[in-house]
Amino acid sequence: MDEPGMNDDALLSVSDLRVAYPGRGWRSRPVEVLKGVSLNIRPGETLGLVGESGSGKTTVGRAVLGLAPVTGGSIRLGGVELTTLSTKERRRTAQNVQVVFQDPYSSLNPSMTIEEILIEPLLRQGRETGRDRVRRLLDRVGLPADAGQRLAREFSGGQRQRIAIARALALRPGLIVCDEPTSALDLSTQTTVLDLFLEIQQDTACAYLFISHDLAVVRRMSHRVAVLLHGEIVEEGDADQVCDRPQHPYTQRLQLAAPVADPVRQRERRLARQPVRQ
């Protein structure tokens, strides 16, 4: 695996990132969740970050967003070092990096109309806005113009995720952190939302940090894939190589765990998984 250090061409460059949380007891030592993670994302590129629950993949996204306690390493976005910025300075970078969370309902304020939700990030950045801008955002994610006058609870899960995507697009960011954005959706809705992500990237040339436990979803969405295990990247490379011809035993285990429609092949995969160990 190539060691991804600082890259002058990268939109996002993460080097030797470490994140630790306080232990539970009074004298407990801090628990290190990320142990020197390095990765790069170029403009217009999707890096898929895959791993099982507890691997630390969501923590990587939270660190990039300024929501996790970085204890070491560097995070540079567009050449700006984020780890040394004040809270006020960090808020200004919000226009360059946005997020789509896993649960589309809990990430939307239930007391605000969709129009208010979409206008809020624009107002915080001191930008002029109006209903025409809201209609364009709703149209971009395939929702009717009158959706702006309704509340989040009036929409299905897939529609709520479209609203969350519209909010992320409002500031025209260069990077969107997608944290398990389809795991709470049914399979048919997942496909629709993933297609929307691909269309938006083609139209806007934004980059994605696409976080998921599903290797098949990551394979479909990503140009490159990084595999995270216990807070460390164990394999990284082009999506077809990592997903179709994995080298690390853990990545092989993830590949064998992916379900297939053929029951005979599924049984073969289940049997093949047994001797594979982390």
Side-chain angles (χ1 to χ4, degrees):
M1 181 184 71
D2 294 334
E3 292 292 338
M6 288 295 185
N7 189 330
D8 292 337
D9 297 329
L11 172 66
L12 176 71
S13 187
V14 176
S15 179
D16 196 28
L17 177 63
R18 296 177 180 274
V19 170
Y21 290 97
R24 292 187 178 181
W26 179 54
R27 293 186 177 181
S28 298
R29 303 179 70 176
V31 178
E32 193 170 44
V33 179
L34 298 183
K35 306 168 185 177
V37 170
S38 297
L39 54 85
N40 295 306
I41 305 177
R42 293 184 289 270
E45 181 183 47
T46 298
L47 175 69
L49 187 60
V50 65
E52 295 176 322
S53 297
S55 62
K57 58 187 184 299
T58 290
T59 304
V60 174
R62 290 178 60 83
V64 171
L65 295 165
L67 302 176
V70 175
T71 54
S74 171
I75 304 174
R76 297 180 69 85
L77 180 67
V80 177
E81 177 59 52
L82 300 183
T83 59
T84 58
L85 296 182
S86 66
T87 301
K88 184 177 180 179
E89 291 171 330
R90 188 61 189 254
R91 195 174 296 120
R92 293 172 186 163
T93 69
Q95 63 185 30
N96 296 322
V97 56
Q98 289 289 296
V99 60
V100 177
F101 289 109
Q102 176 178 355
D103 185 349
Y105 188 65
S106 63
S107 65
L108 302 174
N109 191 323
S111 66
M112 298 172 67
T113 66
I114 303 308
E115 182 177 282
E116 291 170 336
I117 288 172
L118 297 182
I119 287 176
E120 184 181 34
L122 296 165
L123 293 177
R124 288 188 176 184
Q125 292 294 325
R127 299 191 185 185
E128 294 183 3
T129 185
R131 289 187 174 179
D132 287 343
R133 180 70 182 277
V134 171
R135 291 192 190 98
R136 287 196 297 272
L137 286 169
L138 292 172
D139 181 67
R140 184 66 197 80
V141 298
L143 290 174
D146 63 358
Q149 307 308 311
R150 297 157 63 185
L151 299 174
R153 65 170 178 265
E154 301 177 51
F155 296 89
S156 68
Q159 289 173 322
R160 291 171 190 163
Q161 198 61 293
R162 287 171 179 266
I163 294 166
I165 294 170
R167 180 180 59 186
L169 290 173
L171 295 174
R172 300 186 180 95
L175 173 69
I176 299 178
V177 177
C178 307
D179 186 8
E180 298 272 14
T182 61
S183 62
L185 307 176
D186 61 70
L187 289 177
S188 61
T189 306
Q190 275 189 24
T191 299
T192 303
V193 172
L194 291 176
D195 286 343
L196 177 60
F197 274 115
L198 292 172
E199 291 172 9
I200 288 170
Q201 187 174 57
Q202 185 175 14
D203 291 345
T204 66
C206 65
Y208 296 139
L209 173 59
F210 197 94
I211 300 166
S212 178
H213 67 279
D214 191 328
L215 196 63
V217 170
V218 167
R219 171 68 180 87
R220 178 181 178 187
M221 294 297 299
S222 306
H223 298 95
R224 292 185 300 111
V225 173
V227 182
L228 200 64
L229 173 64
H230 301 323
E232 298 179 272
I233 292 179
V234 296
E235 186 165 1
E236 182 178 0
D238 291 340
D240 57 351
Q241 184 271 310
V242 174
C243 298
D244 300 338
R245 300 180 300 279
Q247 301 300 307
H248 195 277
Y250 177 66
T251 314
Q252 295 170 2
R253 184 170 180 266
L254 290 177
Q255 183 196 47
L256 293 171
V260 293
D262 187 337
V264 176
R265 287 188 60 205
Q266 180 66 19
R267 182 174 183 275
E268 291 173 349
R269 283 189 170 214
R270 187 164 56 249
L271 292 173
R273 276 189 71 193
Q274 294 178 4
V276 177
R277 296 292 182 263
Q278 293 183 184

